[in-house]
Every structure is written in structure tokens, then in C-alpha cells.
Amino acid sequence: MLRIIQNRSAAQAKSYYAHSDYLSEAQELTGRWGGRAAQMMGLAGDVKKEHFDRLCDNQHPQSGEQLTLRNDTDRTTGYDFNFHLPKGVSLAYTIGCDERILDAFRDSVEETMRDVEHDAKTRVRKHGMDTDRNTGNLAWATFIHKTARPVLGEPDPHLHAHAFCFNTTWDQKEESWKAVQFRDLKRDGAYYQAGFHARMAKRMRGLGYEIRKKGKEWDLDAIPNSLCNKFSRRKDQIEELARSLGIDNPDENGRP
């Protein structure tokens, strides 16, 4: 699954790096920078808090100078591209301690985010124009988590990633940092989700795992549904709450 969630709070976005309320420090993996815009700003490798926080505040991570023209308190900070694996894959990683699965997951997320980046646009409003221009560059920080939020004090295995994409892109024609036009990227979420799952399933086959199809979904043939259901307590909790509130849109159901 891929959820694409808007974030309008710089303080909330900063919490991705600062702490996690459902992971211990031993479980959390260091965030990594991705995207051409990140490279243009001198960001690569592990995420550092100072750089992440400056981007959340619409500042250049190195110089601290303001990036995009709009700097309102209610500006969109970025979008969380939230990638989820089938439960059987998370269980195979946790039970089998197969680090190849983590590498396959990281690579599949990165390749999918490059597809998103390829389609990145910014608005063009100068000289009476009213259109969008492709920029092909974004900056994101990917944080991989190994478990879901605890239920009754115990977290279930759930390998997932938050690729936090900042609301800034370099417009080469205007030679300036501008806000990203996320509308089409969110609209095409189903396309990016399909690409992610196709990549991940192919990699799992390459590692020797048999795949079983479940309608449009897939999972590992070696992991029975009964075991997947046993370790899906957070999902059950979310779905039960959603039903009680009359919510039928998965994107409105919150995060693991």
C-alpha cells in the first residue's frame, strides 16, 4: 500500500527525525536523503536533524536562507509518501532475520520515489501564465520503521517507510526554489503504488520467495493467512475505529 498524506505542520514534520512514539531507538533506522533537489542542496547519505529541521522551516539546509517565496505559517511543509509491505514480507524479515528483504524494500521505495520525482511540477503564474512546469527534482528523507504502533503495549512486525517529500523544487527556467505542485502526484498514487509492489514482488522472487496473489494484492506463499492475521492487530484496530466513524477511505484511516 502507498498512502500520500499532506503535512501542514513544520513541528509535526520535525518529529519524524526527532523521535518515534512507537519505536525504541534500537529499532529505528537512520533516515536517508533522496532526490535531485536534495543533491543540489548538498544533502546525501544519512539525515541530520539540523538540515531536516531547516527544510521543514522552508530554509536552505546549508545557509539557512529562505527557499520558496511563500513562507506563511499554514504553508504545506511536504507530503508523506507512506509505503507498506504485505504482512507476510514483514514476518519473513522479522522471523527469518533476512536482511536482504530490507535492502529490497529500500531499493523499491527509492526507485518508486524517482518515478514520483520524474513527474514533479511547479506552478507557473508569471506574465499572465496559468500552467504547470515539469521540474524533475525533489528532496525527500526516507525513514524505515520495523513495527506498527503498539496494541496493548506490544508492537506487531510491520516493515514500512515514510518518505517525507519537502515542498520545494528547483525551477531551472525561473532559477528559483518554488513550491511543488503535489496535486497530480497524489492523484496518480495508485500508479506509483502498483509500481512499488511490482518492484518488490519481483525482488522477493529473485531472493527465492514464492509469491501468492490475493486479487490485486500479493503476499508470500510460505506465510499462512492465519499468521498474518495474528500479527495485524493494529490494522484491525484502525479498521474497527474507521467503521465506527463511518470512514471508508483508507487514506483517512491514519498511519500504523
Side-chain angles (χ1 to χ4, degrees):
M1 179 184 294
L2 169 61
R3 292 174 178 158
I4 305 175
I5 305 168
Q6 183 182 27
N7 185 293
R8 286 183 172 272
S9 168
Q12 183 184 27
K14 291 175 186 179
S15 72
Y16 279 109
Y17 182 89
H19 71 278
S20 173
D21 59 0
Y22 59 104
L23 292 172
S24 71
E25 290 184 2
Q27 289 174 303
E28 189 169 1
L29 299 175
T30 303
R32 293 185 181 180
W33 290 112
R36 295 185 180 91
Q39 293 175 355
M40 294 170 65
M41 290 185 281
L43 300 175
D46 293 347
V47 174
K48 293 184 178 179
K49 186 178 187 302
E50 177 186 8
H51 297 153
F52 188 92
D53 287 357
R54 280 183 171 177
L55 279 174
C56 288
D57 291 329
N58 194 30
Q59 298 173 354
H60 193 288
Q62 310 295 346
S63 67
E65 296 179 357
Q66 182 175 322
L67 283 174
T68 67
L69 181 62
R70 182 183 176 189
N71 206 31
D72 302 340
T73 56
D74 66 340
R75 66 179 290 274
T76 295
T77 306
Y79 274 73
D80 176 14
F81 287 74
N82 194 194
F83 295 85
H84 301 264
L85 286 172
K87 180 59 69 174
V89 180
S90 293
L91 291 175
Y93 170 72
T94 302
I95 297 171
C97 300
D98 189 347
E99 292 297 323
R100 300 177 303 166
I101 294 177
L102 180 60
D103 292 337
F105 180 43
R106 195 186 296 277
D107 290 343
S108 297
V109 169
E110 180 68 17
E111 288 180 13
T112 304
M113 287 303 298
R114 289 178 196 160
D115 282 350
V116 174
E117 179 177 55
H118 178 270
D119 297 335
K121 298 177 182 178
T122 190
R123 294 177 178 178
V124 180
R125 298 295 184 266
K126 286 188 174 182
H127 309 299
M129 298 181 68
D130 186 6
T131 185
D132 297 331
R133 177 185 294 127
N134 181 267
T135 59
N137 65 84
L138 292 170
W140 64 84
T142 302
F143 300 91
I144 293 180
H145 295 166
K146 298 180 181 181
T147 65
R149 296 179 188 271
V151 176
L152 300 177
E154 292 293 331
D156 285 334
H158 183 63
L159 197 57
H160 63 287
H162 295 272
F164 192 85
C165 186
F166 292 92
N167 187 21
T168 186
T169 185
W170 178 256
D171 185 336
Q172 185 173 1
K173 190 173 183 63
E174 295 185 19
E175 296 186 331
S176 63
W177 292 102
K178 296 172 59 178
V180 181
Q181 174 57 281
F182 281 102
R183 180 190 60 206
D184 291 349
L185 301 180
K186 185 172 177 61
R187 179 200 65 194
D188 295 337
Y191 167 78
Y192 301 125
Q193 174 178 275
F196 164 70
H197 280 294
R199 292 181 174 102
M200 191 65 199
K202 181 178 179 180
R203 285 190 165 94
M204 293 304 294
R205 289 191 184 98
L207 296 178
Y209 290 90
E210 295 293 331
I211 301 297
R212 70 169 180 268
K213 292 284 188 176
K214 299 193 300 182
K216 293 183 179 180
E217 300 179 353
W218 65 278
D219 211 327
L220 301 187
D221 192 52
I223 308 295
N225 287 327
S226 58
L227 191 61
C228 292
N229 293 334
K230 180 179 180 180
F231 290 100
S232 298
R233 294 175 301 159
R234 174 64 179 170
K235 177 184 177 183
D236 294 341
Q237 188 181 59
I238 292 173
E239 290 180 349
E240 182 179 351
L241 177 60
R243 285 193 295 270
S244 70
L245 297 175
I247 297 173
D248 56 9
N249 182 352
D251 287 341
E252 298 177 13
N253 289 352
R255 304 186 185 102

